[in-house]
Amino acid sequence: MSGLSHLDGEGRARMVDVGDKPVTTRRAEARAALRCNPATLAAVRAGTTPKGSVIATAELAGVMAAKRTADLIPLFHPLALTKVVVDIAIDDAMPGFSIRAEVRTSGQTGVAMEALTAATLAALTLFDMLKAIDRTMVIEQVRMTAKSGGRSGDWTAA
């Protein structure tokens, strides 16, 4: 078991020591989708949803979530994030919302989980704010789409 980075020689969970890793610029991008009824999109466009500006609120929630990732995932390193952007767009073809989160830092470990947390929490916030008018919504396609920096190098999803 000692070959696994989050376990000690006796199989106990531990925080990984990243102290010897070089500081590099790290970036990660994640995406998610919230599928809903076309009528829900119409209500968002018209500004007639019961809880107000759902897109702006969900984007802010995603940013806040990225900043709190270390409080949510055990053994996680708290990071000084240098950039967090969450963009939500209405997608009539889905129909629903496309969510994109980008996170950056200069540090010794990456920001993939922060980006995934931001995209997921933005989707959950949309769901919460719209559930009174649409009970058929589905959160789907939560995934990493790109990362750069660090030992493993750059990666972009196909």
Side-chain angles (χ1 to χ4, degrees):
M1 284 191 202
S2 63
L4 300 174
S5 64
H6 283 80
L7 299 177
D8 68 13
E10 297 172 3
R12 290 186 306 253
R14 65 179 173 92
M15 186 177 211
V16 174
D17 183 358
V18 297
D20 292 334
K21 292 173 75 175
V23 172
T24 61
T25 300
R26 315 280 186 134
R27 177 188 172 277
E29 180 183 287
R31 293 185 183 257
L34 178 76
R35 189 175 299 276
C36 64
N37 287 320
T40 305
L41 297 180
V44 171
R45 278 195 179 98
T48 58
T49 60
K51 294 189 176 182
S53 180
V54 298
I55 291 176
T57 303
E59 288 173 341
L60 179 58
V63 171
M64 293 171 65
K67 294 167 55 174
R68 301 297 302 248
T69 302
D71 294 334
L72 301 170
I73 299 174
L75 307 175
F76 213 73
H77 296 88
L79 301 176
L81 304 180
T82 58
K83 178 181 181 180
V84 180
V85 175
V86 177
D87 293 313
I88 298 173
I90 292 176
D91 183 341
D92 290 305
M94 188 182 309
F97 301 88
S98 295
I99 302 160
R100 179 190 157 278
E102 178 186 358
V103 180
R104 292 181 188 250
T105 194
S106 290
Q108 294 166 299
T109 189
V111 288
M113 295 307 295
E114 286 82 357
L116 285 164
T117 301
T120 302
L121 215 294
L124 287 168
T125 300
L126 284 171
F127 191 101
D128 178 57
M129 296 186 77
L130 295 170
K131 68 183 183 280
I133 62 172
D134 187 348
R135 294 204 160 113
T136 67
M137 294 179 295
V138 176
I139 295 170
E140 58 187 19
Q141 300 177 8
V142 177
R143 66 205 182 278
M144 285 297 305
T145 54
K147 71 166 273 321
S148 62
R151 183 174 42 207
S152 62
D154 298 351
W155 173 83
T156 302

